[in-house]
Every structure is written in structure tokens, then in C-alpha cells.
Amino acid sequence: MNPQQVVNRPQTTVILAMSADGKISDEMRSPARFGSEQDKLHLEKQVAQMDGVLFGAGTLNAYQTTIKITSPELLEYRKQQKKPPQPIQIVVSASGNINLNYRFFKQSVPHWLLTTNQGKQLWNNTEGFENIIIADNNDHQIDWLTAFEQLQKLGLNKLGILGGGQLVASLLKENLIDQFWLTICPLILSGKNSPTPADGEGFLSAVAPRLQLLEVKTIGQEVFLHYQVLTD
């Protein structure tokens, strides 16, 4: 893997819960609701530190909502940090094909879309997103380096990545992930088609991203792992 050349980009943290066998959902890609209340609190605490959160259209399809800061303490924390009450919610979809009937669009959070020129056309005459960011490559897919430079210019210095596995894998390939917070939950999902924290084509072991363990916490039956992604 080559060292990341993009300097002006947000610092990124992947925040995901997974089964003990490394799955973030079952084969049906059902919403992953197997985390405990402690894991939900952990997720909200991490998201509260972010300027924005990024998640794929598949993740939105599964949940049809997004995480919203509700803790009075965390809302006060964001106020003290001179941040708006809610981080910006950024949906990634190259096609732009997103169901406007999802409850997500009724949640009182900032709604942004990261898409291509083709994807934006679906929203030219439709309200739903307050801001649409275009970052297109020659294959009509997301140009991640351009996208992240734009996000940084728009004031997003800390970005949470909430899945899914394809999105995380794409960002890892471009060396755009800095840290991971992974919650290991006490269940086995199995299934060769069940998604993992990073899917995609995968890496050969010789060039796989390497991690440094920063912190381990055990709360109840769950283990919380905090990693830094090492760079060459």
C-alpha cells in the first residue's frame, strides 16, 4: 500500500459492531441490532466527537434511519466545542438512487449526499438533501480523494465511517482510514455471504493494512477495540 498523499482531508474513524466471528450483519443484511445498550452509548459518544458521519446507501437501506445525538451530556459537549447539535449525515451513493420515504429524511439532522454527476440528476428537482457533493471519476464512480478534499474544505475535520463493508474497503484501498473502533459482540452469525467490517476484493497478506492496538475495554459481554491504522 502506498502512503496517503492527501494531506487536506478529514481524520477518519470507522465505528462498527460485529459478531465474534467478524460479521457486521447476517446473510440477509438485516439491521445489526445485536449490540448492547453499552455499545449504543459507545457509538453515540464516538459520533458526538465527529463533524460528520459517512455511510453507504446499503447501510441506509438496512436501517432507514441514522444515529442522532440524544444524550444531554453529549449535546452539551458539542455546544462547548462550538459544534452544531448534530453531525452532518453523509450518504454515499454513486447512483443517487435513495428512497425518499425513509424516516432518515424526517430526522432533524443535516442531510448530505456524496454522489456522481449521474447520481445528482435524480435530485435536481427533488428536495431531501441540503447539500449534494459531486466527486466523479471516469467510471462514474466516487473519486474518494477528490471527495475527501471537498469535505475538508467544507469544514469536516473529523469524520466517522459507519459502514458498510464495501465502503470501508474502498476507503482502506485509498489509505483514507485512520482509526477503527470495533465492538465484538457475543454471538456467531456465520454465513459466507454475511458482510464483514471490510469487504471488497480484499488484500494479499503481504500488503494488508496493519493496525496498532491503542485501547481495549471490556464492558459486560462485549469487547471494545480501538486501533490506529499504520502507514508506511
Side-chain angles (χ1 to χ4, degrees), residues 30-140:
S30 308
R33 305 195 190 280
F34 46 74
S36 69
E37 285 300 316
Q38 288 298 325
D39 177 57
K40 294 175 184 176
L41 291 172
H42 168 80
L43 174 60
E44 187 173 341
K45 180 179 178 181
Q46 297 305 317
V47 168
Q49 299 175 44
M50 304 299 168
D51 299 310
V53 293
L54 189 74
F55 48 94
T59 298
L60 180 60
N61 289 339
Y63 291 90
Q64 302 185 17
T65 61
T66 191
I67 180 171
K68 183 179 176 183
I69 307 301
T70 59
S71 162
E73 293 82 3
L74 293 177
L75 289 169
E76 179 60 27
Y77 164 80
R78 289 185 63 83
K79 183 178 179 180
Q80 292 176 0
Q81 297 294 314
K82 295 182 169 52
K83 295 180 184 292
Q86 302 297 326
I88 293 167
Q89 307 282 334
I90 309 165
V91 184
V92 180
S93 174
S95 71
N97 188 13
I98 298 168
N99 190 335
L100 190 58
N101 293 321
Y102 286 159
R103 192 157 64 87
F104 167 72
F105 290 102
K106 296 181 175 62
Q107 290 181 281
S108 54
V109 297
H111 308 83
W112 287 18
L113 174 65
L114 173 57
T115 189
T116 61
N117 284 295
Q118 183 177 347
K120 183 181 183 299
Q121 292 179 10
L122 294 179
W123 296 91
N124 283 341
N125 300 307
T126 304
E127 294 184 359
F129 291 103
E130 293 84 34
N131 193 9
I132 298 179
I133 300 167
I134 299 172
D136 219 331
N137 64 19
N138 294 331
D139 297 321
H140 305 294

